[in-house]
Amino acid sequence: MAKQIPERAQVVIIGGGIVGASVAYHLAELGWSDVVLLERHTLTSGTTWHAAGLVGCLRATQNMTRLAAYSAELYESLERDMGHATGFRKVGSLSVADNPERMEELVRGASMANAFDVDVEVITAEDLCGRYPLLNPEGIVGGVWLPGDGQASPVDTTMALAAVAKENGVRILEGVSVERIRTADGRAIGVDTDQGPIDAEHVVTAAGMWSHQLGRDIGVNIPLHACEHFYLVTEPIPDLPSGLPVLRDTDNCIYVKEEAGRLLVGAFEPVAKPFGMEGLPTDRPFMQLDEDWEHLAPVYEAACERIPALSDVGIRLFFNGPESFTPDDRYLLGETPEVRNHWVATGFNSIGMQSAGGAGKVLAEWIVNGRPPMDLWDVDVRRMQPFQTNRRYLHDRSVEALGLLYAMHWPFRQVETARGVRRSPVHDRLVGLGACHGEGGGWERPNWYAPEGVEPVYEYTYGRQNWFEHSAAEHRACREGAAYFDQTSLAKLLVQGPDACCVLNRISSADVDVEPGTSVYTTWLNDRGGIEADLTVNRLDEERFLVVTAFSTQVKDANWIDRHTPDGARMTVTDVTSGYAVLGVFGPKARDIVAPLTDADLSNEAFPFGTLQEVDLAYARAIAIRRTYMGELGWELYVPTEFALGAFDALWESGAPAGLTPAGYHAMNSLRMEKAYRHWGDDIADEDTPLEAGLSWGVAFDKPGGFIGHDALVAQREAGVVRRLVQFRLDDPEPLLYHDEPVFRDGTLVGRITSGMYGHTVGGALGMAYVGCEPDTPRAQVLEGSFDVDVNGVRIPATASYRPFYDPDSLQLRL
């Protein structure tokens, strides 16, 4: 019998798992009750029903931690305050370390948790075993105790969210299958179901592992792949203490929770089993997959050694069910760049339970208000690249992605699967020079170069890794002579047309209505004054601009232009990233190396900093832009792809007498840190303003027509900022900084490191952090006091400065 479905709704949500229910709940809470949630079978019958139900509060970043903490509060409140059972119990969690490196990871994570205002305690092996008496203490170094963590029933919690949503007017229809999302003029306008069409203003895809195909059918990239996920439930264990904490033994790839006198033991094994390569079944609610003892045996044997009681008890249930994983193990949230009014909340990488409450809340606010309520770049769907819809790529990456959740989170760790996707035209030349490539957005990028006789592979540690001194040599070559950087992965957007200048000037905080041949650094702001992008706008002629940005924001920044281009504007945007290699030459000797290859005058007078010219370069024509992320004299040379090898060979030959040195992205990072150059996504993002970040010099407050975010910045300038971005150098030259280390002033926590790297020229680890202040605090006074940074549980004195520790007057880049 056909369901009675409505003809239209304000919002249609596809998927009746805990995430879809959370979105519905929060939309209704915000007053949007004309919402329809569609589930093909019955609520929770996809992935939610077999989730382990862990609710952890600590995530890798501050805002993700805020969302996880909100989930725990919500699930507790649903039962305590609203009378809907969720089974939430705040039992706490323990993480075990059985080697010093894992212990350092846990200690650093605990320090980060303190900066995020999460209750955490580093404990000894003895204390750990006291809290979890089933443990075999052999080999345990120590651990971490998080008292706020808990567990809940995924099914009960979903039903609770759905019940409250229905009480507030949401219609939840089970047994209705969405066949396709309907679109028109680049917008989602509804769905086609097996019971008929539903018109809608917004469509939310929260369909778990089935989301990929729903997106693919309408040209939307939702990159995720299903993997088999295993757990075991024991028979009742005599005298098992009730309310045991959740145990995470990541070195042995397991998590353990107590449930009604039994133990549930789950696995995140290093080599996973992808599922659904031939297509995902749509007719199997509450899907279970075949047992695979051979696959799970090594993990379970390790579990029995850690918890000997497991060897003495039978197994009641061997469970194997599919879950979806994304290429970078972070979920997908937000409005899709390809289709407006189409939203996604999917790909939760086995943390859907602890993420659903917060994710549903912020997505609902995003839909209702038209903007995200906080910095959500970690999970923004726009971080994904178009190629990542490739099914073979997703399959191959998923083999590794599941296990990476519990693998060591080494600094600079590189993925090992699905490599070699995007390569610079000079990739093989760089391999021949000893490049050790890392991966970012599919790009193979040289991170460091191994000298002759050294294998170009990473040896990970929290201390100085095997490439440290090699990268230091590259760093010094750039400061003292000249270094070559392959910058081909830079994203390049050609914006052209009679209205290009007007549109870009409205988007940009700086004035980009400049003379052709000018390169302008600018921020792009939201209406709150937050930094959505920082990039360069390079004017080629009256109607053509080359926007150059990071590979990681390639999709986002193109989408930002599109969404802020008025209807009818005479302008086009073309992604020309693949059309140009970028050969970067920087250092005091850069001019001597490039000059023999061109008849252009490269003198400071004829080719000053912040300008560009089209020049001959060997046998090629190139766009030469005099700009730097390294703080030295140099040029970014944009060479059409088919000419890149020839231009590189000529450049390399010209540079040989001057000692031109290949340098990687680790050196670029250390060089930019010495100059206090900000990195979007770490030091600046959409909750940070140019006034707070020390970038007001790049804001043209008085330019005609203003810019997006102008009024918010003016208001903040008048009211005063409540925090400022400060650079720090550790006084002890030995410790290293990475990110999120707590910063103390006179013993009081005042911030956390946003990004860190060792400064080889200044002889110490460098980092940046926002330091809070009162609105009327004089700028200089923020730096007063004694500063320390917590590094692996030890407070290290640090020197604070607004000015860069290297070449604060920027004399070198204007040689």
Side-chain angles (χ1 to χ4, degrees):
M1 183 177 177
K3 297 280 183 182
Q4 186 64 40
I5 64 171
E7 292 183 357
R8 62 165 290 105
Q10 192 171 13
V11 183
V12 169
I13 300 169
I14 308 170
I18 191 168
V19 175
S22 177
V23 175
Y25 168 93
H26 286 96
L27 283 171
E29 188 178 52
L30 292 171
W32 280 31
S33 59
D34 186 15
V35 175
V36 173
L37 185 151
L38 303 176
E39 166 54 44
R40 176 189 290 126
H41 298 295
T42 59
L43 295 182
T44 78
S45 62
T47 298
T48 298
W49 74 278
H50 64 72
L54 308 186
V55 185
C57 293
L58 179 61
R59 303 303 303 156
T61 64
Q62 185 170 30
N63 280 356
M64 293 301 101
T65 297
R66 288 168 61 189
L67 297 189
Y70 170 80
S71 294
E73 294 167 4
L74 174 64
Y75 303 158
E76 187 173 30
S77 175
L78 282 167
E79 183 160 316
R80 182 192 62 224
D81 303 328
M82 303 182 212
H84 293 278
T86 62
F88 180 79
R89 292 186 296 153
K90 190 179 289 187
V91 296
S93 75
L94 293 164
S95 292
V96 178
D98 63 10
N99 62 77
E101 293 276 25
R102 179 68 79 174
M103 192 64 204
E104 179 162 354
E105 179 185 75
L106 293 180
V107 171
R108 284 177 174 268
S111 297
M112 180 181 73
N114 284 322
F116 296 169
D117 198 27
V118 173
D119 193 6
V120 63
E121 182 182 352
V122 177
I123 60 177
T124 65
E126 183 179 359
D127 289 339
L128 185 65
C129 294
R131 291 181 184 271
Y132 208 96
L134 299 179
L135 284 177
N136 172 8
E138 185 177 351
I140 294 178
V141 176
V144 164
W145 164 242
L146 288 156
D149 285 0
Q151 59 189 63
S153 164
V155 172
D156 289 348
T157 305
T158 303
M159 295 305 183
L161 291 166
V164 177
K166 285 193 287 187
E167 291 168 6
N168 290 327
V170 173
R171 286 167 288 183
I172 296 180
L173 302 178
E174 298 174 292
V176 179
S177 179
V178 173
E179 298 173 340
R180 186 180 178 88
I181 298 164
R182 292 166 50 224
T183 63
D185 300 322
R187 294 179 179 272
I189 60 169
V191 296
D192 289 328
T193 79
D194 59 354
Q195 313 291 328
I198 303 176
D199 294 336
E201 297 174 27
H202 301 271
V203 175
V204 179
T205 296
M209 55 189 162
W210 293 275
S211 300
H212 173 79
Q213 189 62 50
L214 282 168
R216 195 181 182 99
D217 288 344
I218 59 170
V220 168
N221 178 29
I222 306 178
L224 52 80
H225 199 287
C227 284
E228 300 182 27
H229 182 51
F230 301 89
Y231 61 74
L232 305 171
V233 180
T234 70
E235 295 287 356
I237 298 176
D239 303 319
L240 184 68
S242 177
L244 276 175
V246 172
L247 179 73
R248 292 182 178 87
D249 183 358
T250 48
D251 286 312
N252 288 313
C253 310
I254 61 169
Y255 61 88
V256 184
K257 76 163 187 172
E258 180 268 330
E259 194 169 73
R262 303 177 178 88
L263 290 181
L264 181 152
V265 182
F268 287 106
E269 65 277 17
V271 180
K273 293 184 66 177
F275 171 75
M277 286 70 74
E278 306 303 322
L280 295 171
T282 59
D283 58 352
R284 293 174 60 185
F286 303 103
M287 192 188 323
Q288 295 192 52
L289 306 180
D290 294 337
E291 297 180 3
D292 190 342
W293 275 105
E294 184 177 352
H295 180 78
L296 195 61
V299 175
Y300 193 66
E301 288 170 4
C304 290
E305 290 184 13
R306 179 62 70 213
I307 303 176
L310 292 174
S311 302
D312 302 325
V313 66
I315 295 173
R316 169 166 288 194
L317 172 65
F318 184 123
F319 185 82
N320 179 12
E323 297 188 19
S324 60
F325 292 82
T326 63
D328 60 4
D329 279 333
R330 290 178 275 149
Y331 56 87
L332 307 172
L333 201 71
E335 190 175 16
T336 57
E338 304 91 344
V339 175
R340 294 193 185 186
N341 292 357
H342 174 237
W343 307 81
V344 294
T346 191
F348 278 84
N349 305 285
S350 207
I351 60 165
M353 182 68 191
Q354 71 180 42
S355 304
K361 179 179 189 294
V362 294
L363 185 65
E365 293 173 359
W366 198 341
I367 294 170
V368 170
N369 298 321
R371 65 188 188 193
M374 61 199 304
D375 176 17
L376 295 171
W377 178 242
D378 287 323
V379 292
D380 193 317
V381 68
R382 293 173 297 174
R383 75 186 186 276
M384 292 300 178
Q385 303 288 328
F387 82 88
Q388 290 177 306
T389 196
N390 181 288
R391 287 195 177 102
R392 179 174 293 185
Y393 165 85
L394 291 171
H395 166 275
D396 292 353
R397 176 58 59 81
S398 71
V399 172
E400 180 184 18
L402 180 146
L404 285 177
L405 293 173
Y406 274 16
M408 282 290 296
H409 297 92
W410 297 114
F412 311 106
R413 178 162 187 156
Q414 303 298 318
V415 293
E416 298 174 1
T417 54
R419 292 292 298 268
V421 180
R422 305 168 83 180
R423 296 179 178 178
S424 160
V426 300
H427 175 270
D428 290 349
R429 295 285 198 274
L430 304 184
V431 170
L433 292 171
C436 182
H437 284 89
E439 187 266 358
W443 283 103
E444 294 294 317
R445 309 199 311 164
N447 281 343
W448 59 280
Y449 288 82
E452 188 173 349
V454 174
E455 190 175 3
V457 295
Y458 278 90
E459 296 175 10
Y460 297 117
T461 175
Y462 273 97
R464 284 165 166 72
Q465 296 186 7
N466 62 316
W467 50 265
F468 185 86
E469 290 301 331
H470 308 315
S471 184
E474 299 164 22
H475 178 113
R476 287 189 287 270
C478 187
R479 288 280 185 252
E480 300 166 9
Y484 167 82
F485 295 86
D486 182 37
Q487 298 176 271
T488 300
S489 61
L490 286 169
K492 311 141 195 118
L493 307 173
L494 180 62
V495 183
Q496 57 187 335
D499 295 328
C501 182
C502 180
V503 171
L504 285 175
N505 218 22
R506 176 66 181 163
I507 294 172
S508 302
S509 64
D511 190 351
V512 301
D513 187 4
V514 292
E515 289 296 318
T518 305
S519 174
V520 179
Y521 168 82
T522 185
T523 53
W524 289 355
L525 310 179
N526 54 42
D527 58 8
R528 293 166 291 179
I531 301 171
E532 293 284 348
D534 83 317
L535 39 72
T536 60
V537 176
N538 304 278
R539 190 163 199 173
L540 304 179
D541 56 35
E542 289 298 326
E543 295 190 358
R544 293 189 307 138
F545 295 79
L546 186 65
V547 175
V548 179
T549 187
F551 74 89
S552 56
T553 57
Q554 180 174 350
V555 173
K556 178 182 185 292
D557 293 344
N559 183 245
W560 190 260
I561 300 174
D562 177 59
R563 289 170 185 264
H564 293 90
T565 299
D567 292 339
R570 299 165 300 165
M571 188 189 87
T572 61
V573 180
T574 307
D575 191 322
V576 295
T577 299
S578 299
Y580 290 93
V582 183
L583 316 180
V585 183
F586 296 94
K589 296 181 181 179
R591 184 178 285 112
D592 300 336
I593 293 169
V594 179
L597 304 179
T598 181
D599 56 6
D601 184 349
L602 302 185
S603 68
N604 202 48
E605 295 73 25
F607 204 145
F609 179 79
T611 64
L612 60 102
Q613 297 180 26
E614 188 172 9
V615 302
D616 290 341
L617 185 72
Y619 295 148
R621 290 286 286 170
I623 300 171
I625 302 178
R626 189 170 169 195
R627 186 158 288 287
T628 177
Y629 198 47
M630 285 63 82
E632 297 293 339
L633 167 70
W635 284 266
E636 296 172 353
L637 303 168
Y638 291 72
V639 183
T641 301
E642 68 270 32
F643 294 95
L645 273 177
F648 173 84
D649 289 343
L651 195 63
W652 200 250
E653 182 178 356
S654 177
L660 181 62
T661 299
Y665 279 83
H666 291 333
M668 183 184 293
N669 197 18
S670 60
L671 291 160
R672 72 99 183 171
M673 285 297 297
E674 290 188 335
K675 285 292 295 174
Y677 289 153
R678 282 64 164 152
H679 182 261
W680 194 90
D682 293 317
D683 311 307
I684 50 177
D686 64 12
E687 291 186 72
D688 311 311
T689 72
L691 302 183
E692 296 165 339
L695 297 174
S696 56
W697 55 267
V699 178
F701 281 98
D702 298 327
K703 70 175 176 177
F707 53 87
I708 298 169
H710 172 273
D711 292 348
L713 283 194
V714 170
Q716 186 182 55
R717 186 173 61 178
E718 293 174 351
V721 299
V722 295
R723 58 187 189 131
R724 293 187 182 277
L725 189 63
V726 175
Q727 190 179 30
F728 293 93
R729 181 185 62 200
L730 297 186
D731 295 344
D732 183 340
E734 290 305 310
L736 302 178
L737 292 174
Y738 298 114
H739 59 81
D740 289 316
E741 292 89 351
V743 177
F744 297 85
R745 179 176 55 200
D746 298 330
T748 300
L749 179 67
V750 293
R752 58 183 176 83
I753 297 296
T754 54
S755 67
M757 197 68 176
Y758 199 84
H760 299 287
T761 308
V762 302
L766 301 171
M768 285 183 263
Y770 287 93
V771 175
C773 59
E774 295 298 322
D776 57 352
T777 304
R779 186 171 179 268
Q781 191 174 317
V782 176
L783 301 184
E784 293 178 358
S786 177
F787 286 92
D788 302 284
V789 181
D790 183 321
V791 181
N792 191 29
V794 178
R795 295 190 185 182
I796 310 296
T799 299
S801 175
Y802 289 125
R803 286 163 60 80
F805 285 101
Y806 172 78
D807 188 22
D809 296 317
S810 294
L811 302 178
Q812 289 297 114
L813 55 87
R814 291 181 171 85
L815 289 174

